[in-house]
Amino acid sequence: MSVAIALFTSDLRVHDQPVLRAALRAADEVVPLFVRDSGVTAAGYDVPNRRAFLADCLASLDASLRRRGGRLVVRSGEVVEQVRRVVREAGAREVHLAAGVSGYAARREDRLRTALEGTCALVVHDSVITVVPPGRLVPSGKDHFAVFTPYFRRWRETDRRAVMAAPRTVRVPPSVGGEPLPVRDTVEGVSPGVPEGGEEAGRARLSSWLTRGIETYEDRQDGLADDATSRLSPYLHFGCLSPVELTERALRADGPGADAFVRQVAWRDFHHQVLAARPESAFSDYRARHDRWRGDLAARSETIAWREGRTGYPVVDAPMRQLRYEGWMHNRARLLTASFLTKTLYVDWREGARHFLDLLVDGDLADNQLNWQWVAGTGTDTRPNRVLNPLTQAKRFDPRGDYVRRWVPELAGIEGAAVHQPWKLDARVRARLDYPDPIVDLTEAGERFARARDRRGGGT
């Protein structure tokens, strides 16, 4: 019997799964393989929140395969070596893999191709992790789009591949064994509010979102207290949901909410195509502004306060505490907390991006790093000197203070918008609060940033 390997990476699902379907077409038997990559651990990305969510994802994928007569084979170690071993054990003729966008993914693909040459074919599939593959849409004379709006116009008009049904049967060679599945409960240091992972949980959340949430998304997406976003990003990051299927189903919902939601999916594709073309932008400025980020003792102390949600600005502290508790943060909150670190405190964006990756369940290298650069003014934003004032953001997106009271219990007894400026309360009230005064004056911080901007030539 002929054998193929479906190497799962960020595509942990059976519905609309081009890698698995292609492997099934190519051979009589298929080894659904996932390698717990030692390279990811060495790079520091195997953090507790994502490790726990991943355990759920693998358990869900294994259960789906078993319902179809198959099973998931899990190995640990260096990816290329583990794949070579399974190729030898199974006598596989082909290895199928989803195309990635990071520099690491590109190097992994190259090493796999070299290692398998002459013994086994490597087949790489597009439109698995994104809707539109990076590199398909390019402006004249360039290798990627650096501005979202023209990219989105082309993205919206581009034909998408058809959504694939889940396979009915998966036959796995009985001779190929693997390790026990990881178990979420054994992972230490997990944030209490990390949601259940896996395809089944993701599809249930998607169905609920399409019937009860997407209709009002355009009007409510920025409201911090509303909690009216889909929260599907962790399931997209691990590939429990197909972005192609998600887009098709969202567009069937029709209306302004669906259009606004699909636009966010396009932003995800946009960042992936930027990273694919400029892999160094995961760690280096996409557009160097020659910033002289603060790194003195005061800046380090302020950064610690920012991480702990103790800056004295409640609308900044609330999402930082939510991040620590849930491993998730509202998109608007991500922007305003990132702006506070990079523009108000004038601390290197990499400090914040690393902290987010340490906690976010949806810690995607493309989205996280390039959104941080967008806010810091070193990325694709056409207005690099944009500053999000925390008090203005609070007034617009948490006008009654409900979001702050939810996540900053020290201030729960303060009614209305006054919760956003506790330093203005009566001295006797302030004395009873276990909450710090602001670590920085916004006017002074603005002047500091203006001086820094002038030193770097106005951000041009």
Side-chain angles (χ1 to χ4, degrees):
M1 283 192 173
S2 58
V3 179
I5 295 172
L7 178 58
F8 288 85
T9 53
S10 300
D11 50 347
L12 304 178
R13 62 182 186 269
V14 297
H15 291 84
D16 194 39
Q17 177 40 292
V19 171
L20 180 59
R21 291 308 298 256
L24 289 168
R25 287 194 301 270
D28 302 311
E29 295 180 326
V30 168
V31 180
L33 175 65
F34 181 83
V35 179
R36 300 176 68 184
D37 188 355
S38 58
V40 173
T41 303
Y45 296 123
D46 184 24
V47 297
N49 286 349
R50 289 196 294 280
R51 196 183 313 145
F53 196 88
L54 172 62
D56 290 346
C57 295
L58 297 179
S60 176
L61 178 57
D62 181 63
S64 294
L65 291 167
R66 288 182 183 278
R67 285 194 291 271
R68 292 161 173 81
R71 58 190 166 86
L72 181 64
V73 175
V74 175
R75 299 285 180 94
S76 295
E78 199 277 322
V79 172
V80 173
E81 178 56 31
Q82 293 303 318
V83 171
R84 289 178 64 186
R85 288 183 181 180
V86 176
V87 166
R88 290 194 298 268
E89 293 170 18
R93 297 178 183 177
E94 294 182 0
V95 173
H96 293 260
L97 169 71
V101 300
S102 67
Y104 181 82
R107 292 189 297 273
R108 177 183 62 196
E109 182 181 319
D110 288 341
R111 288 187 289 110
L112 273 170
R113 184 170 286 105
T114 300
L116 299 176
E117 188 175 4
T119 61
C120 184
L122 179 66
V123 184
V124 180
H125 299 269
D126 289 327
S127 297
V128 181
I129 295 171
T130 57
V131 179
V132 177
R136 178 175 293 180
L137 306 180
V138 294
S140 178
K142 298 182 179 179
D143 61 356
H144 73 288
F145 276 93
V147 180
F148 175 73
T149 300
Y151 173 81
F152 181 54
R153 283 197 294 265
R154 292 273 299 276
W155 185 93
R156 191 169 44 190
E157 297 166 356
T158 299
D159 291 336
R160 294 179 292 275
R161 65 166 176 78
V163 175
M164 301 177 180
R168 294 183 178 181
T169 304
V170 179
R171 298 178 59 185
V172 180
S175 60
V176 179
E179 306 167 0
L181 294 173
V183 179
R184 177 189 180 118
D185 291 346
T186 63
V187 182
E188 297 181 354
V190 181
S191 297
V194 169
E196 177 187 1
E199 183 177 18
E200 186 174 355
R203 292 184 73 81
R205 186 179 289 270
L206 173 60
S207 295
S208 176
W209 166 248
L210 293 175
T211 56
R212 293 193 292 272
I214 198 170
E215 184 177 352
T216 61
Y217 180 71
E218 183 185 40
D219 297 329
R220 301 176 62 203
Q221 61 178 307
D222 280 322
L224 294 173
D226 291 345
D227 197 12
T229 61
S230 71
R231 291 192 178 234
L232 293 173
S233 53
Y235 303 94
L236 281 171
H237 172 63
F238 283 90
C240 307
L241 293 176
S242 156
V244 175
E245 182 185 7
L246 180 148
T247 300
E248 291 294 322
R249 293 180 64 181
L251 287 173
R252 288 202 297 270
D254 203 9
D259 291 342
F261 178 70
V262 168
R263 183 181 177 89
Q264 295 304 311
V265 179
W267 264 109
R268 180 176 181 271
D269 273 17
F270 173 76
H271 285 147
H272 279 71
Q273 59 96 39
V274 172
L275 185 63
R278 299 287 184 272
E280 68 278 4
S281 64
F283 309 103
S284 302
D285 291 345
Y286 178 81
R287 291 188 175 118
R289 305 293 182 187
H290 308 294
D291 289 286
R292 300 176 184 175
W293 303 109
R294 295 172 61 227
D296 55 17
L297 285 174
R300 289 198 286 274
S301 176
E302 291 166 2
T303 301
I304 292 171
W306 174 84
R307 288 175 181 152
E308 294 178 348
R310 299 282 294 174
T311 68
Y313 289 95
V315 79
V316 174
D317 295 338
M320 296 305 294
R321 297 184 189 193
Q322 180 184 21
L323 172 63
R324 189 170 295 277
Y325 186 85
E326 294 188 337
W328 185 86
M329 188 191 291
H330 188 290
N331 183 58
R332 171 55 55 177
R334 298 188 198 205
L335 297 179
L336 74 90
T337 53
S339 180
F340 188 85
L341 184 72
T342 59
K343 298 292 180 61
T344 302
L345 301 183
Y346 201 47
V347 171
D348 194 330
W349 64 267
R350 282 160 280 245
E351 293 276 348
R354 179 69 257 182
H355 181 68
F356 272 32
L357 283 179
D358 285 344
L359 291 172
L360 283 171
V361 179
D362 63 12
D364 183 278
L365 199 64
D367 274 339
N368 187 67
Q369 308 301 86
L370 290 169
N371 268 318
W372 267 95
Q373 291 221 50
W374 187 92
V375 174
T378 64
T380 62
D381 188 9
T382 55
R383 292 170 53 194
N385 296 320
R386 183 197 315 261
V387 179
L388 301 182
N389 182 293
L391 299 182
T392 303
Q393 295 287 300
K395 182 177 180 180
R396 289 185 62 188
F397 302 117
D398 189 28
R400 297 184 300 274
D402 294 336
Y403 176 71
V404 161
R405 278 185 289 274
R406 185 182 307 158
W407 290 105
V408 187
E410 307 96 296
L411 306 179
I414 301 173
E415 298 181 357
V419 75
H420 291 301
Q421 295 177 279
W423 59 89
K424 289 187 175 182
L425 297 172
D426 181 271
R428 288 173 295 181
V429 176
R430 290 174 57 194
R432 295 195 298 268
L433 300 176
D434 180 22
Y435 189 72
D437 289 331
I439 60 173
V440 63
D441 178 87
L442 293 180
T443 300
E444 293 177 1
E447 293 171 351
R448 180 174 60 198
F449 176 69
R451 291 194 297 271
R453 179 188 58 201
D454 291 342
R455 285 198 303 269
R456 71 185 192 185
T460 57

